[in-house]
Amino acid sequence: MSERGGALRGQLQQLLREVAKFGAVGGAGVIVNLAIFNLVRATTEIPVVRASLIANAVAIITNYLGYRYFTYRDRDKSGRTRELSLFLVFSLIGMVIENGILYVATYGFGWDSSLQSNLFKFLGIGIATLFRFWSYRTWVFRALPDREPEQPEPVSADSAYRVVKPQGEACPGIPIDQALAPSLEEELELEKLGQEARSAEPDAVGPRS
């Protein structure tokens, strides 16, 4: 129970750290989003929802950089094309959620004052952020798989034997000492060579007096 409780506490602490980092990046994205939204509204005649879409596009870029290189910098970095594609897909879904709420408030209920627009845009950001948190951590920035400890190879009974055969061919099941021992033919050949050497000694030395 203590090991399981420790594992659960470790997972909870890791999740809290992830939420804190995600919130830091998301908070910076909210500031960028609202700042550009109000700047576009104050300096142009672009309608409310279109101004919000422009602000969303800029915030998506800054959010990706923050999530990849801060929040999820330890996650899998392979497959950047897939990662960017999924990030854009889920970001667009979040954009629909965020601006859908703003659209309904503006054109459905006529709440289009500066305060009301900012209020409903902020509400839309909050709801979309919950979706983004789930989708980014689950599908976009995937966790690296845990490495399993390498298991030593089992030692079989055949390891006490060497594979030895003339001309490098396999001879399984021959003990080392038996494989190294000379064969019967080799012993006969050695004995024949010894006899020839002994018979040639008198000629090499010369006749005895």
Side-chain angles (χ1 to χ4, degrees):
M1 291 296 292
S2 59
E3 293 181 358
R4 181 177 297 181
L8 290 176
R9 284 194 298 271
Q11 293 176 359
L12 180 60
Q13 291 175 358
Q14 182 178 358
L15 179 61
L16 291 176
R17 286 194 297 268
E18 181 182 343
V19 170
K21 290 182 179 180
F22 190 94
V25 175
V30 170
I31 294 174
V32 171
N33 198 340
L34 292 176
I36 294 181
F37 172 67
N38 286 283
L39 179 64
V40 172
R41 287 203 66 193
T43 58
T44 67
E45 298 296 328
I46 297 177
V48 174
V49 177
R50 292 184 184 179
S52 179
L53 292 173
I54 294 173
N56 273 155
V58 178
I60 285 173
I61 297 173
T62 59
N63 284 347
Y64 176 77
L65 296 175
Y67 292 140
R68 164 39 67 197
Y69 296 104
F70 178 67
T71 306
Y72 298 112
R73 61 184 177 183
D74 58 338
R75 295 292 180 93
D76 186 10
K77 295 181 177 63
S78 61
R80 284 296 179 89
T81 302
R82 173 189 176 279
E83 179 182 288
L84 282 170
S85 300
L86 289 176
F87 181 83
L88 290 176
V89 168
F90 290 120
S91 295
L92 290 175
I93 295 175
M95 183 184 292
V96 171
I97 296 172
E98 176 182 335
N99 292 282
I101 294 174
L102 181 62
Y103 181 90
V104 171
T106 302
Y107 299 104
F109 295 94
W111 298 329
D112 58 352
S113 67
S114 179
L115 178 61
Q116 290 171 334
S117 296
N118 279 277
L119 177 63
F120 285 102
K121 181 170 177 60
F122 185 80
L123 177 62
I125 290 174
I127 297 175
T129 297
L130 296 176
F131 168 77
R132 292 187 180 109
F133 177 71
W134 168 80
S135 59
Y136 290 168
R137 74 185 305 267
T138 305
W139 301 101
V140 182
F141 304 105
R142 296 180 300 175
L144 291 171
D146 295 332
R147 292 184 178 180
E148 297 182 357
E150 296 182 357
Q151 299 293 333
E153 295 183 359
V155 179
S156 62
D158 295 337
S159 61
Y161 296 89
R162 285 186 56 185
V163 178
V164 178
K165 191 176 182 180
Q167 301 179 355
E169 297 180 3
C171 287
I174 301 178
I176 295 177
D177 53 354
Q178 182 179 344
L180 295 178
S183 63
L184 180 59
E185 294 181 358
E186 291 174 347
E187 291 180 354
L188 294 174
E189 185 68 23
L190 291 174
E191 184 177 355
K192 182 179 179 181
L193 291 174
Q195 291 176 357
E196 292 178 356
R198 287 193 297 271
S199 63
E201 285 181 358
D203 296 335
V205 176
R208 295 180 183 177
S209 54

